Amino acid sequence: MGVLALQGAFESHIRVLNTLEIESVEVRNSESLDSVDGLIIPGGESTAISMLLESNQLREPLQKRLSNGMPVFGTCAGMIILSEKILDGREDQTPLGAIDIMVRRNAFGRQIDSFESQLEIEGLNSPFPAIFIRAPIVQSAGESVKILATIEDQIVLCCNETTLVASFHPELSDDVRIHEMFVSMAK
Amino acid sequence: MSDEKKSTSRTTGTINVKRGLAEMLKGGVIMDVVTPEQAKIAEDAGAVAVMALERVPADIRVDGGVARMSDPEMIEGIKATVTIPVMAKARIGHFVEAQILEALGVDYVDESEVLTPADEKHHIDKWAFTVPFVCGATNLGEALRRISEGACMIRSKGEAGTGNVIQAVRHLRTILGDIKRIGQADSAEIFDWAKRLQAPVSLVQEIAETGTLPVPMFCAGGLATPADAALVMQLGAEAVFVGSGIFKSENPEPRAKAIVEATTNFNNPDILAKVSRGLGVPMTGIGMDELDMKLEDRGW
């Protein structure tokens, strides 16, 4: 399993993968991208990660892998980067379009509005401790998208056949169930 | 009752939420900016956050006098310009400046030795705030005292405004070296470590168990080139602050971008060689023996 390691909380994802006894690879260039079967795009600053995708010449190969159906999991900034359209982003920020959703950046406000919440998630039999940090939300989703969790009617976890995206940070909780969900998707 | 819409309860300002933002900044560059235009340049270059302040440390050195929190109007101008997190500095111990910054909605408060301290004994009680705090440290004891007061991110201090990386390296090596040594200490020695570091035993025990600081550890103070950024990242910093080094150089835009790329690719000399080319003249810098004011000595 690859973890995009350009910027952000990639080490936290690697720690979760280690707990699940899944081998992980830090992806910083196209060679390391070639070597993985699935990819996690971590939280971080989506503007910085988007720019580094360009400067590290990863955007095109990544786009190609995604259109060939590589399983991918995006958290927070990762969700923004995998979306179809970004609201309140920078004009030059082009998402990868792996899942048919329109996301709004920093939808809950600034850092003082960041929060934790016990989240009901479809397919899990008890709430998940979700940590939202300057989090985005899914403003609208196409028909191909399956909604897995909402908070006050706003979508915060959803997927399609190969893509799983979360507004929050499962990698910061001591709960591996959403990563397990992705791993079984990727099989 | 039963048809009442279930609303999810939210808890703000928790330790997970506060430390979490620092986690998101890892591997990135936080840049000092004094105007909305500079903030835009920083964001365009790929900064993960900006530090809004009235004068960069190099100018504070030249001007002398008392350095204070920035004008809220200036901070708001920068907040309105960029989409990335905005940090701002409060004086050591000046909890009212911190209250004002929290009311302004800044994303992180830096209780900073770069400004003139307001209290010669006490730092701010940072647990009392919803906004997270970053604090500087020159050694592990100082870092742990700040963490026990509620800091959610530590930056090694370096010597701000000098363009000279030597103190940043010294502080980083001191802090990370002691963390390694504590990892090898037996349970009885932990108490002596706590006494020597003047730090809570519980935090020293936590380091002994985990082998790391309980909060993210960034590096600041005197970084001026892509190579400087990669140096401190290789030494173990998790992200970098660049103050005067960008906007006191001849050509800030390409230098800012190069430092961002160097921080991501800190272990790849080929990329470092590529991004270090043709950046123009870096800030001149000051040797440590030429300094008449050492900012790093502020903090207790």
Side-chain angles (χ1 to χ4, degrees):
Chain A
M1 183 70 66
V3 182
L4 190 68
L6 297 174
Q7 191 272 315
F10 52 88
E11 279 172 3
S12 303
H13 279 287
I14 291 170
R15 203 172 50 235
V16 181
L17 292 175
N18 287 343
T19 311
L20 296 175
E21 294 180 350
I22 291 168
E23 200 190 333
S24 58
V25 176
E26 290 186 11
V27 173
R28 286 195 180 82
N29 53 40
S30 57
E31 293 80 57
S32 46
L33 180 64
D34 286 341
S35 72
V36 302
D37 301 321
L39 185 70
I40 297 176
I41 304 185
E45 274 307 311
S46 64
T47 53
I49 296 174
S50 299
M51 276 173 231
L52 288 161
L53 276 176
E54 303 283 350
S55 59
N56 276 33
Q57 283 142 19
L58 259 172
R59 173 178 280 277
E60 228 173 279
L62 178 54
Q63 193 93 61
K64 209 168 182 178
R65 288 295 307 271
L66 291 174
S67 55
N68 289 336
M70 175 180 66
V72 63
F73 175 25
T75 59
C76 195
M79 168 164 121
I80 296 171
I81 289 165
L82 290 168
S83 71
E84 191 69 43
K85 191 169 166 34
I86 303 170
L87 302 173
D88 294 345
R90 289 167 51 92
E91 281 165 20
D92 58 353
Q93 211 179 344
T94 323
L96 295 166
I99 181 164
D100 186 12
I101 54 172
M102 183 160 79
V103 298
R104 184 175 295 283
R105 282 183 70 204
N106 303 336
F108 294 101
R110 303 196 72 91
Q111 172 61 15
I112 44 174
D113 307 306
S114 293
F115 62 98
E116 284 187 63
S117 184
Q118 292 292 327
L119 196 64
E120 298 284 350
I121 292 174
E122 194 176 316
L124 300 185
N125 51 19
S126 62
F128 187 90
I131 300 169
F132 291 81
I133 295 166
R134 286 170 49 93
I137 51 155
V138 178
Q139 189 87 18
S140 65
E143 282 177 8
S144 58
V145 178
K146 186 177 172 198
I147 295 160
L148 298 170
T150 59
I151 192 162
E152 287 152 28
D153 292 333
Q154 315 265 29
I155 306 168
V156 294
L157 181 70
C158 61
C159 68
N160 63 20
E161 297 264 297
T162 55
T163 311
L164 176 66
V165 287
S167 298
F168 52 95
H169 294 282
E171 74 278 15
L172 297 183
S173 308
D174 287 327
D175 190 325
V176 299
R177 287 178 294 167
I178 296 180
H179 283 80
E180 283 174 336
M181 204 185 269
F182 175 59
V183 170
S184 64
M185 263 177 77
K187 264 179 189 156
Chain B
M1 279 295 279
S2 60
D3 57 7
E4 202 177 277
K5 212 174 85 181
K6 202 168 93 185
S7 81
T8 321
S9 70
R10 300 181 189 181
T11 322
T12 57
T14 64
I15 203 163
N16 282 332
V17 162
K18 289 172 160 181
R19 289 183 184 174
L21 180 57
E23 294 289 330
M24 296 311 131
L25 301 174
K26 280 184 177 176
V29 183
I30 300 150
M31 301 183 191
D32 278 3
V33 298
V34 300
T35 62
E37 293 71 38
Q38 289 187 353
K40 188 80 182 47
I41 291 172
E43 188 183 59
D44 286 348
V48 290
V50 290
M51 177 73 71
L53 70 176
E54 235 145 56
R55 291 175 290 171
V56 293
D59 288 333
I60 292 175
R61 276 187 189 288
V62 176
D63 297 352
V66 176
R68 310 178 177 88
M69 177 189 81
S70 298
D71 186 332
E73 198 172 291
M74 176 264 178
I75 295 171
E76 278 173 342
I78 288 172
K79 268 176 58 201
T81 309
V82 293
T83 66
I84 55 180
V86 175
M87 303 185 178
K89 288 183 194 288
R91 283 179 264 177
I92 289 173
H94 206 314
F95 51 86
V96 174
E97 284 188 349
Q99 290 164 4
I100 292 171
L101 294 175
E102 179 171 71
L104 289 171
V106 306
D107 296 296
Y108 240 94
V109 174
D110 183 0
E111 185 183 17
S112 177
E113 70 283 359
V114 166
L115 305 185
T116 311
D119 191 318
E120 61 184 359
K121 269 195 181 150
H122 310 94
H123 282 250
I124 298 170
D125 170 12
K126 294 164 272 286
W127 296 111
F129 289 79
T130 304
V131 67
F133 280 74
V134 51
C135 289
T138 58
N139 58 56
L140 185 57
E142 206 178 350
L144 295 182
R145 288 195 292 280
R146 297 297 84 80
I147 293 168
S148 69
E149 296 155 2
C152 293
M153 181 203 298
I154 293 295
R155 52 175 175 73
S156 56
K157 281 181 184 172
E159 187 56 35
T162 60
N164 189 339
V165 78
I166 186 168
Q167 295 302 87
V169 169
R170 181 202 298 263
H171 300 156
L172 206 52
R173 280 197 185 276
T174 305
I175 295 169
L176 296 173
D178 276 351
I179 289 175
K180 269 185 234 157
R181 285 183 276 276
I182 287 173
Q184 288 153 5
D186 67 35
S187 56
E189 289 168 328
I190 297 297
F191 298 98
D192 183 50
W193 269 104
K195 195 166 64 189
R196 272 190 287 151
L197 293 172
Q198 297 178 274
V201 175
S202 59
L203 286 177
V204 179
Q205 273 162 341
E206 191 177 336
I207 288 176
E209 280 159 26
T210 62
T212 62
L213 213 58
V215 305
M217 163 82 189
F218 294 5
C219 178
L223 279 59
T225 67
D228 288 348
L231 172 68
V232 298
M233 290 294 287
Q234 286 198 26
L235 284 172
E238 297 181 296
V240 298
F241 285 80
V242 184
S244 322
I246 291 173
F247 290 100
K248 285 286 157 190
S249 74
E250 183 185 45
N251 211 346
E253 286 98 334
R255 181 167 297 273
K257 192 158 193 314
I259 292 176
V260 168
E261 288 182 42
T263 304
T264 291
N265 300 293
F266 66 90
N267 254 334
N268 187 327
D270 292 330
I271 295 185
L272 295 175
K274 198 178 92 191
V275 304
S276 298
R277 272 166 215 262
L279 298 177
V281 184
M283 72 179 284
T284 313
I286 316 172
M288 285 307 128
D289 46 1
E290 304 166 58
L291 277 186
D292 37 3
M293 174 172 65
K294 268 183 131 184
L295 301 175
E296 67 183 55
D297 295 337
R298 297 168 168 177
W300 2 99

